[in-house]
Amino acid sequence: MSWRPQYRSSKFRNVYGKAASREHCFDGIPITKNVHDNHFCAVNARFLAIVTESAGGGSFLVIPLEQTGRIEPNYPKVCGHQGNVLDIKWNPFIENIIASCSEDTSVRIWEIPEGGLKRNMTEAVLELYGHSRRVGLVEWHPTTNNILFSAGYDYKVLIWNLEIGEPVKMIDCHSDVILCMSFNTDGSLLATTCKDKRLRVVEPRSGRVLQEASCKNHRVNRVVFLGSTKRLLTTGVSRWNTRQIALWDQEDLSMPLIEEEIDGLSGLLFPFYDADTHMLYLAGKGDGNIRYYEIGSEKPYLSYLMEFRSPAPQKGLGVMPKHGLDVSACEVFRFYKLITLKGLIEPISMIVPRRSETYQEDIYPMTPGTEPALTPDEWLSGVNRDPILVSLKEGYKRNSKIVFKAPVREKKSVVVNGIDLLENVPPRTENELLRMFFRQQDEIRRLKDELSQKDIRIRQLQLEIKNFRNSPKNN
């Protein structure tokens, strides 16, 4: 019997990346130079948001997707934060609502007008204060409307109910800065990575840690739930300082199922998972390439497909939701790549090559749409529900009828789990302290100038009086 090689059949083995032409990119954008390990970019089917470099305070641009080409330097910005903006995320159910967090310890909710900004926006519809140090991450709940998670440098995760504008739960199980948060499909579990080199799976409503891994040989940086497979994937660094990925069983984090070294580069690896195609994308910060794999249910679990290569390094990547893709071109994923050196945002489409121009049902299964499955009260009471699925066959463009209504609040204490989060005034950011110092110095100089002018005037008057007394007419 002759030996025959085993070939793995996959409809995604020929997926390729296609970068947009220059006229379909977004050019002339002063992308932030902040070294915080985030994407600084958020995309939905209507808008592209990018954190920008700004002098004093923090700001980000919001650009309608059809407005490609060169962006004017005086294009309106969202600029209400007093510190650098560290993360931005679009509401998955209301496409003109975006959340941002900053070094000024606040989380803010912004409502973008129809058609985009016409002037600078400085007033948020909702300002959320509860963290005592800067806030590095925000995440919307995947199935519940108006539930927002924020992670701060005070080692706490706060759960906000935006219908009342207050934190309703606090997760206080971390001993260092939280690096990443990821939800499972129905939002009943939250996975976090932390600077204390631990991977945790948490029940978010109770704050109870269900599983915990101490990653000594694999220092975790980023984590992502792999859909409904009950598995997690983490990216990190091995003991030999090589970039590495690991696959875990969410119900047993004692040992990873597999560990695979990627390369010896130093940039952070960002994982992106597409639950519809079971494809995993790995993009390194500062790299120009994007590797992609297919995730299987049996060993070896991870099958390398191909690599998209580009000479331009990426600072971060935004990802288009499924209902915003071009199904007629067999597009299964789309990145928005931030190229800081060129001030450019470059769309990259991942395409399955097909000859037929008809709708390809095998690569577009039912996918989560823009309708929430739960209200905040239902989720907080303990109800779990899978996302509401839609078909992309007719080119899903349904606009959600949900409207965000900001609650009217009086200033008062914020008590969560019996702790007043606003008992101590949050420390000011470095930028804010510098601005205050320079303002005080200017005021001191102004007062000195006034005193100097008054002193000169007094001396002039004294001299005039002396001259008047010594004049011959008065003798």
Side-chain angles (χ1 to χ4, degrees):
M1 183 177 178
S2 62
W3 176 84
R4 292 182 181 179
Q6 295 293 316
Y7 293 104
R8 193 182 59 85
S9 176
S10 170
K11 55 191 152 191
F12 302 111
R13 66 178 181 271
N14 294 319
V15 169
Y16 66 95
K18 181 181 178 182
S21 58
R22 189 77 180 202
E23 58 266 23
H24 292 108
C25 296
F26 301 84
D27 198 2
I29 296 174
I31 301 168
T32 180
K33 295 181 176 63
N34 196 312
V35 295
H36 190 71
D37 286 329
N38 264 344
H39 294 295
F40 301 110
C41 179
V43 193
N44 65 16
R46 291 172 60 189
F47 298 108
L48 168 68
I50 314 105
V51 179
T52 58
E53 190 72 11
S54 59
S59 63
F60 59 93
L61 286 172
V62 176
I63 307 168
L65 285 183
E66 62 274 9
Q67 193 175 332
T68 55
R70 187 158 190 85
I71 305 300
E72 295 299 323
N74 58 351
Y75 193 87
K77 296 178 181 179
V78 179
C79 49
H81 281 287
Q82 282 79 50
N84 291 326
V85 176
L86 299 180
D87 197 14
I88 48 176
K89 294 282 168 58
W90 289 105
N91 187 321
F93 309 115
I94 312 175
E95 291 189 327
N96 68 329
I97 296 294
I98 187 169
S100 64
C101 62
S102 167
E103 288 182 351
D104 64 8
T105 75
S106 74
V107 177
R108 303 193 186 198
I109 311 299
W110 309 87
E111 185 173 8
I112 307 302
E114 197 73 28
L117 299 175
K118 305 301 179 188
R119 60 182 65 86
N120 283 351
M121 179 179 283
T122 56
E123 293 296 323
V125 292
L126 197 56
E127 296 183 13
L128 307 172
Y129 290 95
H131 290 281
S132 59
R133 295 180 67 187
R134 59 181 172 168
V135 188
L137 295 170
V138 286
E139 287 287 347
W140 295 91
H141 192 273
T143 62
T144 309
N145 190 32
N146 286 334
I147 291 289
L148 181 71
F149 285 62
S150 65
Y153 277 60
D154 51 5
Y155 314 155
K156 295 180 176 64
V157 177
L158 294 183
I159 306 175
W160 303 87
N161 181 353
L162 302 187
E163 289 188 350
I164 59 173
E166 300 287 347
V168 288
K169 301 284 181 181
M170 180 174 65
I171 301 171
D172 193 15
C173 60
H174 300 89
S175 59
D176 211 324
V177 176
I178 298 144
L179 301 175
C180 183
M181 298 188 290
S182 177
F183 288 99
N184 65 343
T185 304
D186 63 3
S188 61
L189 296 176
L190 176 70
T192 64
T193 57
C194 182
K195 236 176 179 178
D196 62 8
K197 302 177 184 178
R198 291 180 180 272
L199 169 66
R200 295 175 176 87
V201 175
V202 182
E203 203 292 313
R205 283 166 291 214
S206 64
R208 187 163 54 94
V209 178
L210 304 178
Q211 290 288 328
E212 184 173 335
S214 180
C215 308
K216 295 178 181 177
N217 298 331
H218 171 75
R219 297 198 305 274
V220 291
N221 287 322
R222 290 292 180 271
V223 62
V224 61
F225 265 102
L226 300 181
S228 55
T229 62
K230 294 191 175 181
R231 293 204 174 100
L232 297 162
L233 185 126
T234 58
T235 67
V237 182
S238 72
R239 62 168 65 182
W240 314 113
N241 283 334
T242 57
R243 295 196 294 191
Q244 191 181 51
I245 58 175
L247 190 68
W248 307 78
D249 182 348
Q250 73 179 37
E251 296 175 351
D252 181 13
L253 298 183
S254 58
M255 283 286 290
L257 298 174
I258 58 165
E259 289 181 343
E260 186 170 319
E261 292 192 2
I262 303 300
D263 55 34
L265 299 179
S266 59
L268 179 72
L269 271 179
F270 293 114
F272 304 90
Y273 181 67
D274 182 0
D276 295 344
T277 61
H278 305 292
M279 286 178 66
L280 170 75
Y281 300 87
L282 293 179
K285 186 176 181 180
D287 297 358
N289 60 343
I290 300 172
R291 298 175 176 88
Y292 39 104
Y293 303 76
E294 192 170 5
I295 303 289
S297 56
E298 299 176 353
K299 287 186 177 181
Y301 301 118
L302 207 62
S303 302
Y304 176 78
L305 292 174
M306 217 181 288
E307 184 176 353
F308 169 80
R309 294 186 178 181
S310 166
Q314 59 225 4
K315 182 179 181 67
L317 293 160
V319 173
M320 172 65 74
K322 275 284 179 168
H323 59 269
L325 299 178
D326 183 3
V327 296
S328 63
C330 295
E331 184 183 35
V332 292
F333 216 73
R334 190 192 302 164
F335 294 101
Y336 285 78
K337 176 178 174 178
L338 276 64
I339 306 173
T340 310
L341 298 175
K342 298 180 181 179
L344 187 73
I345 311 295
E346 180 184 54
I348 299 171
S349 298
M350 311 307 293
I351 295 171
V352 179
R354 294 285 172 94
R355 291 181 180 178
S356 174
E357 295 181 359
T358 58
Y359 179 73
Q360 307 292 311
E361 291 191 17
D362 60 325
I363 62 174
Y364 294 116
M366 298 286 281
T367 192
T370 57
E371 294 293 323
L374 293 169
T375 64
D377 291 338
E378 286 175 332
W379 183 77
L380 290 168
S381 66
V383 179
N384 294 320
R385 200 171 292 157
D386 286 333
I388 297 174
L389 304 180
V390 296
S391 172
L392 302 178
K393 187 170 184 178
E394 303 301 328
Y396 180 79
K397 296 292 181 185
R398 182 180 175 187
N399 292 323
S400 176
K401 296 179 181 178
I402 303 170
V403 178
F404 181 79
K405 293 181 180 178
V408 178
R409 297 184 302 162
E410 295 179 0
K411 290 187 177 180
K412 57 181 182 179
S413 61
V414 179
V415 179
V416 181
N417 296 357
I419 301 170
D420 187 354
L421 299 176
L422 298 182
E423 188 176 6
N424 299 315
V425 179
R428 298 183 182 274
T429 64
E430 186 179 348
N431 287 343
E432 198 174 350
L433 289 170
L434 282 171
R435 285 197 301 274
M436 185 183 294
F437 172 76
F438 289 130
R439 279 199 300 267
Q440 289 174 346
Q441 292 295 313
D442 290 340
E443 185 67 17
I444 290 169
R445 284 195 210 97
R446 188 183 64 79
L447 291 172
K448 282 184 176 179
D449 289 342
E450 285 184 6
L451 288 172
S452 177
Q453 293 289 340
K454 288 179 180 178
D455 192 42
I456 292 169
R457 183 58 183 156
I458 289 170
R459 289 180 182 177
Q460 287 175 345
L461 289 172
Q462 287 175 341
L463 186 61
E464 288 177 8
I465 292 170
K466 185 178 180 181
N467 292 339
F468 178 76
R469 286 177 177 173
N470 294 333
S471 64
K473 291 181 181 180
N474 295 325
N475 291 333

